[in-house]
Amino acid sequence: MKRLALFFALSAFAVAQQPDWARVEEEAMRHFQALLRIDTADPPGNEAPAVEYLKQALEREGIPVKTFALEPHRPNLVARLKGSGKKRPLLIMGHTDVVNVDPKKWRFPSFSATRDGGYVYARGTVDDKDNLTACLMIMLLLKRLNLPLDRDVIFLAESGEEGSVRVGIKYMVENHFSEIEAEYCLAEGGGLTRKGGQVRYASVGTTEKIPYAVRLVATGPAGHGSVPLRTNAIARLSQAVAKVAAWQTPMRMNDTTRAYFERLATLSTPEEAERYNGIVNPAKAAQIQEYFAVHEPRHHSMLRTSISPNMIKAGYRVNVIPSEAEATLDIRAFPTEDMNELLAEMKKVINDPAVEIVRVARDTRPPAAPSAIQNEAFQTIESMVKKHYGVITLPVMQTGATDMAYLRAKGIQCYGIGPATDIEDGPKGFGAHSDQERILESEFQRFVRYHWDAAVGLAKAQ
Ligand SMILES: [Zn+2]
């Protein structure tokens, strides 16, 4: 009898642990639209009104909030729900700023959050007010359900992610790290890929390449354009740029990329699978890399430190041989790259004393080891992907940079997650940073539930 009573008590508890999703959907959509309607375009990135909105929503329910600002109109918000302290905290993160818009390109005004045909249209719908709203809902629901936690859950709403990290994650890590220190972090940097309306697989960012910038400067005597010179700086620079562009840096792999290609093979055509499985075979690797370089350039980049010449500057009039010409290279280093070694190698490749290699400052990210894929965090995410979407999870090394790099460099295991989006939507101009931006309402709601389950799975008392 006693045991039976305990059983009922436990199952009642289990029921109470699940939010009333029908009601939550309405509320989540209301917060989502309200946040989307606040213009936080960066630059200038006036995030204060969005932070004020979050602050009120959290404080209304008794969740304590702190804000930290390097610049008063660009604050970061931190809210914390206490756990028993048995485990180290979980950090959930979303950024409040969005990229700029060209209003002429939008069918619905870019900060209107118009609902149409099952979509919500606004800047920030998939980058990153989806994550931001999911984090807010997780905090509100954890508090309401009074769920016992083994670890603190910390919500960080950061400013300046889109190009001004000095006011956002960099500022927080360098000045207020104890406020956000955690064992694990869930943030943007992943998602689910739909193709033909079907969810195909999940991507979870576990590591990323590190951006650097380098300038090639060629010098030579100036002269009259009517008397061509072999030492022409533009000609020397062009040769150097062509050599660097053709240079294939050595192929490298890590746990993330090995698992990525292996798992990608399981959902590919036999022909594709042969390439994804064959990339680890030294006898086939060269040919497969060549195929990637032409047909799947992102995969080619994932296998190495990549170099792309993206700016060139030289000359000022048609009849003058300029004495200087320069090109700027976008280098995306493999996480374990030794930059001094790479540049020494580049010098040999260029093999021209008239061309100098100069390192240039840029908004870079600190190097860090990849987050583990054989731990409770990754496995929890994987099982929640299975539960909500029924598909396989690919760990991904992102070719672009995210704010997670700052946290990984401090030892936090970070995982990039996001909602399901249609692969066809990007080319149509509806993706992150596109002319327009939108999300399927149903996928926004599914993401909130998936994110909730992942956070609860990691934080709730065992
Ligand atoms: Zn973003």
Side-chain angles (χ1 to χ4, degrees):
M1 194 60 209
K2 211 170 171 191
R3 194 169 285 175
L4 201 64
L6 181 68
F7 171 78
F8 281 123
L10 279 176
S11 39
F13 182 63
V15 169
Q17 279 180 317
Q18 271 303 322
D20 173 357
W21 285 113
R23 283 179 55 191
V24 170
E25 284 202 355
E26 237 173 88
E27 184 186 1
M29 182 54 71
R30 186 158 42 79
H31 287 309
F32 189 42
Q33 284 185 298
L35 286 164
L36 290 167
R37 285 173 183 149
I38 302 170
D39 178 352
T40 51
D42 179 11
N46 180 27
E47 293 96 339
V51 166
E52 189 51 39
Y53 180 89
L54 293 168
K55 187 168 181 283
Q56 282 180 21
L58 291 159
E59 284 179 344
R60 218 165 22 230
E61 313 224 7
I63 302 170
V65 170
K66 293 183 188 175
T67 58
F68 304 93
L70 178 65
E71 291 171 10
H73 63 295
R74 312 203 65 181
N76 301 278
L77 173 146
V78 176
R80 181 187 292 255
L81 289 170
K82 296 294 282 179
S84 68
K86 203 168 136 193
K87 296 176 180 169
R88 291 165 55 219
L90 167 69
L91 175 66
I92 54 176
M93 188 164 97
H95 62 85
T96 45
D97 61 327
V98 296
V99 290
N100 293 99
V101 295
D102 176 354
K104 294 192 296 289
K105 303 265 168 69
W106 289 73
R107 194 173 140 219
F108 304 106
S110 47
F111 296 101
S112 67
T114 304
R115 294 168 74 172
D116 184 79
Y119 289 92
V120 183
Y121 289 80
R123 181 58 91 213
T125 45
V126 290
D127 182 14
D128 183 33
K129 287 174 175 169
D130 49 339
N131 263 290
L132 194 67
T133 309
C135 293
L136 171 65
M137 291 312 299
I138 290 167
M139 297 303 279
L140 297 177
L141 294 172
L142 283 175
K143 175 77 175 157
R144 281 178 209 159
L145 296 176
N146 198 18
L147 208 67
L149 303 171
D150 271 349
R151 51 173 111 235
D152 291 4
V153 175
I154 308 167
F155 169 30
L156 169 62
E158 11 135 39
S159 62
E161 193 276 342
E162 303 289 358
S164 25
V165 289
R166 56 179 192 88
V167 300
I169 195 69
K170 190 164 186 276
Y171 170 71
M172 289 304 293
V173 165
E174 287 173 2
N175 299 282
H176 302 286
F177 186 62
S178 64
E179 297 287 344
I180 56 171
E181 191 167 6
E183 181 171 18
Y184 301 124
C185 169
L186 304 178
E188 69 169 346
L192 288 108
T193 301
R194 288 169 43 126
K195 212 173 178 177
Q198 279 298 90
V199 177
R200 299 281 315 279
Y201 59 88
S203 307
V204 172
T206 54
T207 182
E208 61 190 57
K209 297 176 83 178
I210 307 150
Y212 294 98
V214 156
R215 201 175 289 150
L216 302 182
V217 183
T219 47
H224 198 285
S226 65
V227 185
L229 299 171
R230 289 273 163 90
T231 51
N232 183 311
I234 291 180
R236 303 292 278 268
L237 179 74
S238 307
Q239 285 159 14
V241 169
K243 285 182 196 164
V244 168
W247 176 31
Q248 172 138 299
T249 57
M251 180 179 120
R252 293 196 189 124
M253 295 188 90
N254 56 27
D255 281 356
T256 289
T257 55
R258 266 188 295 271
Y260 170 81
F261 283 111
E262 214 178 276
R263 294 179 185 195
L264 187 60
T266 66
L267 35 102
S268 303
T269 64
E271 207 181 313
E272 288 167 339
E274 207 179 312
R275 280 191 289 271
Y276 299 145
N277 286 322
I279 194 68
V280 290
N281 180 346
K284 294 182 179 169
Q287 206 190 334
I288 295 169
Q289 287 179 73
E290 185 52 30
Y291 180 90
F292 285 167
V294 178
H295 302 280
E296 298 174 18
R298 199 172 68 91
H299 285 152
H300 191 254
S301 176
M302 276 171 64
L303 290 168
R304 59 183 23 83
T305 292
S306 67
I307 306 169
S308 180
N310 291 350
M311 290 198 282
I312 203 154
K313 215 166 78 186
Y316 56 97
R317 51 181 297 160
V318 69
N319 59 359
V320 174
I321 299 172
S323 60
E324 201 174 294
E326 60 170 63
T328 306
L329 311 177
D330 182 358
I331 300 184
R332 302 300 174 119
F334 198 82
T336 49
E337 183 64 82
D338 178 330
M339 278 303 284
N340 291 328
E341 228 168 76
L342 181 88
L343 296 185
E345 203 53 42
M346 188 187 289
K347 198 161 179 54
K348 282 189 219 157
V349 168
I350 293 171
N351 189 27
D352 183 347
V355 179
E356 205 193 334
I357 301 172
V358 185
R359 272 174 87 152
V360 188
R362 85 181 277 182
D363 219 355
T364 184
R365 301 289 203 276
S371 299
I373 57 175
Q374 265 105 16
N375 64 0
E376 58 171 335
F378 191 80
Q379 281 159 7
T380 300
I381 295 167
E382 256 187 310
S383 69
M384 294 314 164
V385 164
K386 263 255 134 55
K387 175 181 166 186
H388 290 279
Y389 301 92
V391 295
I392 193 170
T393 299
L394 312 181
V396 174
M397 179 171 81
Q398 292 171 278
T399 52
T402 78
D403 279 0
M404 288 188 287
Y406 283 94
L407 300 170
R408 287 200 186 103
K410 297 286 276 183
I412 303 179
Q413 302 274 308
C414 298
Y415 299 91
I417 61 172
T421 52
D422 290 303
I423 202 164
E424 299 87 356
D425 239 19
K428 283 190 223 158
F430 288 113
H433 297 214
S434 290
D435 279 351
Q436 302 183 73
E437 198 174 328
R438 70 180 183 185
I439 191 170
L440 277 164
E441 289 187 19
S442 54
E443 292 300 354
F444 165 71
Q445 299 293 0
R446 178 150 60 159
F447 175 57
V448 174
R449 297 194 294 272
Y450 153 51
H451 200 335
W452 159 263
D453 269 338
V456 168
L458 282 171
K460 75 163 191 285
Q462 298 295 332

